[in-house]
Amino acid sequence: MTTRNGPQKAARFEDTDSARKVIARLGRRLESVEPVITFRPKLPKRPAR
Amino acid sequence: MSGLALASLTAQRRALARRTVSALELAEEHLVRIERLEPYLNAFILLDPDRVRRAARAADRALARGDAAPLRGIPIALKDIADERGLPNTAGSALRLKVVPTRDATVVARLRAAGAVFVGRTNLHEFAAGTTNANATFGQARNPHDPGRIPGGSSGGSAAAVAAGLAAGALGTDTAGSIRIPAALCGVVGLKPTYGRVSRAGVVPLSWSLDHVGPLARTVADVATLLAVMAGTDPRDPTTTAAPLRLGRGGPVRGLRFSFTDPYFHRDIDPSIVSALRHVRYLLIDAGLREVKTRIPMVAESGSIQYLVARCESTAVHLLDLVPARAARIGEEVRARLALGRDISAVDYLQAQRARALLVAETDAALEQSDVLIVPTTATGAIPIGATHAVVAGRRQSQRELLVRFTAPFNLSGHPALAIPIGVDGNGLPISLQVVGRAYDEATVLRVGAAIETALGLDLVPALARTA
């Protein structure tokens, strides 16, 4: 039996399908969340004309 | 010989400043030790003793002029993944044997400007894409506490060199635990700073949003000294930040709050780590810290989030290395791992990055309630070379699961995490915990780490290192 925090899930550490399913189970919890991205706009050195 | 090679970086600085040892003498002592121990450890990919002596002589001239640069004359090892002008940067791969940068990585330039004497370029898991340091081109780096066991990875050569007294400190990189895991298995201190604290420019990437650069050394104070040199904004790396570092001279820990946090971090771990953590809990309470309860439920999903994010980004980073003519020169295990991202869709990647945002928010919330989180670094001490699994706490676990499941969450969240030794396991091998703090609050992390280090008073110098 797999529990949410259980060891069985941790054992499936390197498996694309399992990882995908784990994220899919989060369902609507993801709806209001924007993804983490590293893009950070830089300020221009001079104001644009 | 000065006998300083196993002393702290801080003690070496003091001796150099007082001129009781010259930079050249210190460098020669390290070169002799490297010559004696390298056949057992394979900690280095590239050694150039003449270059080391030239740098040491230059350091002596600077010291004679009264130069007080913080690392002047200190022997530092560089992971062979950061550009060092004029020397090949292989990233541990046969694909990069002829890649010779003409410019230092920003972090290398900062160490050089601070006066460090670079003693050699250290072995790593190919492309930093693994935790065992089984390198198909340069061979297996070995653990100085037991050369039949892994040093951890990917910065295994850096950790082995520091533990064995072949360098006073080292540069490492950490995408899922690659500074902290080898620090743990080799019995030294390793810091993954906050994401953006240390520039990654000139360091071969593995996974852009997870890669961190940081120091390894034998004491918490030494790591703090190295961080102060390495940290800072860099126009070459837009993720770097101007957040002030504010590293003081220790300071009281009384009144701070700590949390052993989510049960995730305490399941299926070696009993010796359970005992050592319990001991640390009493020490922290004795020191006047207050224990609070926190939870990070999303950490249970961290393995899956990390898998999807890291696999996608590392496949993109190495896409041109994966064309057949080049891929054949990558070690089989790393080649397979780097290719996994091809089967993950952009939607899967973005969903994982959304889940990651939840993990970040929960970790931030836990760190609102507690000043630091205290969690194990790994679930076990060093495992034998070649072992793919080990039975720990009565459960058969993969080496990757044993080593990265407690470190990777903080690559996802970006929070600073310090690995420090807390004793030895039943085999006499080092075990470790992490002190995790708020973003950009390395100062508190280091303060608490120093308090634990002082209270424990461990001496984890490997027997092999004492014989050199």
Side-chain angles (χ1 to χ4, degrees):
Chain A
M1 186 66 192
T2 301
T3 58
R4 186 169 181 278
N5 293 317
Q8 288 92 335
K9 183 191 290 182
R12 299 174 185 166
F13 210 64
E14 289 196 88
D15 174 331
T16 301
D17 284 339
S18 297
R20 195 181 279 136
K21 284 175 189 163
V22 167
I23 303 302
R25 277 205 296 271
L26 294 170
R28 292 195 175 276
R29 286 191 67 195
L30 297 183
E31 274 201 339
S32 60
V33 185
E34 286 196 15
V36 171
I37 52 173
T38 57
F39 176 67
R40 188 180 296 178
K42 286 163 77 175
L43 289 170
K45 285 180 182 166
R46 290 178 191 165
R49 291 184 180 222
Chain B
M1 291 295 162
S2 67
L4 279 170
L6 289 167
S8 67
L9 185 157
T10 307
Q12 293 182 16
R13 278 176 76 188
R14 204 178 302 127
L16 287 164
R18 291 177 182 162
R19 308 300 286 148
T20 55
V21 68
S22 71
L24 184 59
E25 287 167 337
L26 194 57
E28 290 289 1
E29 182 172 353
H30 281 79
L31 290 172
V32 167
R33 294 180 64 82
I34 289 169
E35 191 176 342
R36 287 180 185 159
L37 295 184
E38 183 59 2
Y40 301 98
L41 300 179
N42 194 29
F44 290 93
I45 284 177
L46 191 143
L47 291 162
D48 184 346
D50 289 340
R51 194 177 173 109
V52 176
R53 291 185 184 101
R54 282 198 301 275
R57 286 192 192 98
D60 278 328
R61 288 193 293 276
L63 287 162
R65 292 194 301 269
D67 179 299
L71 298 177
R72 186 65 68 199
I74 298 291
I76 298 293
L78 296 177
K79 184 175 181 178
D80 191 14
I81 197 166
D83 285 351
E84 184 182 358
R85 64 173 188 248
L87 292 177
N89 178 358
T90 71
S93 179
L95 278 181
R96 292 178 53 94
L97 293 174
K98 294 178 181 169
V99 177
V100 181
T102 56
R103 181 181 184 182
D104 283 339
T106 300
V107 66
V108 172
R110 294 182 76 99
L111 289 165
R112 193 191 294 279
V117 172
F118 299 137
V119 292
R121 298 181 62 75
T122 56
N123 200 347
L124 67 155
H125 207 105
E126 186 172 8
F127 290 129
T131 53
T132 63
N133 222 305
N135 187 301
T137 301
F138 299 103
Q140 172 77 56
R142 295 169 181 275
N143 192 313
H145 290 270
D146 177 350
R149 292 177 185 261
I150 62 166
S154 63
S155 312
S158 289
V162 170
L166 311 184
L171 179 140
T173 61
D174 190 318
T175 302
S178 284
I179 289 172
R180 293 161 288 159
I181 294 164
L185 302 194
C186 292
V188 299
V189 181
L191 174 68
K192 181 202 78 65
T194 310
Y195 186 79
R197 177 64 87 187
V198 176
S199 170
R200 302 158 305 142
V203 177
V204 177
L206 175 62
S207 179
W208 298 287
S209 75
L210 299 169
D211 292 343
H212 298 64
V213 177
L216 298 97
R218 287 188 288 273
T219 71
V220 174
D222 293 355
V223 158
T225 299
L226 291 168
L227 177 66
V229 169
M230 296 164 86
T233 54
D234 177 14
R236 294 170 68 194
D237 181 350
T239 66
T240 52
T241 174
L245 191 54
R246 293 203 183 95
L247 295 180
R249 295 178 62 84
V253 292
R254 181 171 294 280
L256 291 177
R257 296 162 301 172
F258 74 96
S259 176
F260 275 32
T261 196
D262 209 275
Y264 171 91
F265 291 104
H266 302 282
R267 286 199 188 95
D268 298 336
I269 60 179
D270 190 279
S272 65
I273 300 175
V274 176
S275 303
L277 285 169
R278 192 178 300 136
H279 182 50
V280 168
R281 169 183 272 145
Y282 295 136
L283 293 176
L284 290 173
I285 291 169
D286 268 357
L289 284 88
R290 187 159 55 90
E291 184 173 12
V292 294
K293 289 196 184 306
T294 61
R295 289 293 304 270
I296 310 176
M298 276 297 294
V299 76
E301 334 295 355
S302 62
S304 299
I305 303 170
Q306 194 270 346
Y307 177 89
L308 293 169
V309 173
R311 296 288 76 81
C312 277
E313 293 187 1
S314 57
T315 298
V317 166
H318 288 288
L319 200 59
L320 295 180
D321 295 330
L322 291 169
V323 298
R326 289 175 65 78
R329 298 177 66 197
I330 303 175
E332 189 179 343
E333 173 227 0
V334 170
R335 183 171 67 232
R337 185 168 296 144
L338 292 180
L340 284 168
R342 284 175 164 159
D343 298 328
I344 300 169
S345 72
V347 173
D348 294 330
Y349 174 76
L350 286 168
Q351 290 295 84
Q353 290 284 35
R354 292 172 100 180
R356 179 182 180 180
L358 295 176
L359 174 68
V360 173
E362 286 186 0
T363 310
D364 281 335
L367 284 161
E368 284 291 310
Q369 296 163 51
S370 184
D371 296 291
V372 291
L373 309 177
I374 306 287
V375 300
T377 307
T378 60
T380 178
I383 58 176
I385 288 169
T388 59
H389 292 74
V391 176
V392 172
R395 189 166 72 82
R396 188 171 184 268
Q397 305 181 50
S398 73
Q399 57 84 9
R400 196 162 167 76
E401 182 191 356
L402 286 164
L403 300 181
V404 308
R405 74 177 189 258
F406 302 142
T407 51
F410 305 109
N411 294 81
L412 289 166
S413 75
H415 293 86
L418 176 76
I420 58 171
I422 51 170
V424 293
D425 66 9
N427 296 313
L429 297 163
I431 53 177
S432 169
L433 64 70
Q434 297 176 86
V435 182
V436 180
R438 298 182 189 114
Y440 308 114
D441 190 12
E442 285 86 355
T444 300
V445 165
L446 291 163
R447 260 166 74 198
V448 174
I452 295 170
E453 179 183 68
T454 302
L456 288 172
L458 297 172
D459 176 8
L460 289 181
V461 175
L464 183 70
R466 294 189 197 281
T467 64

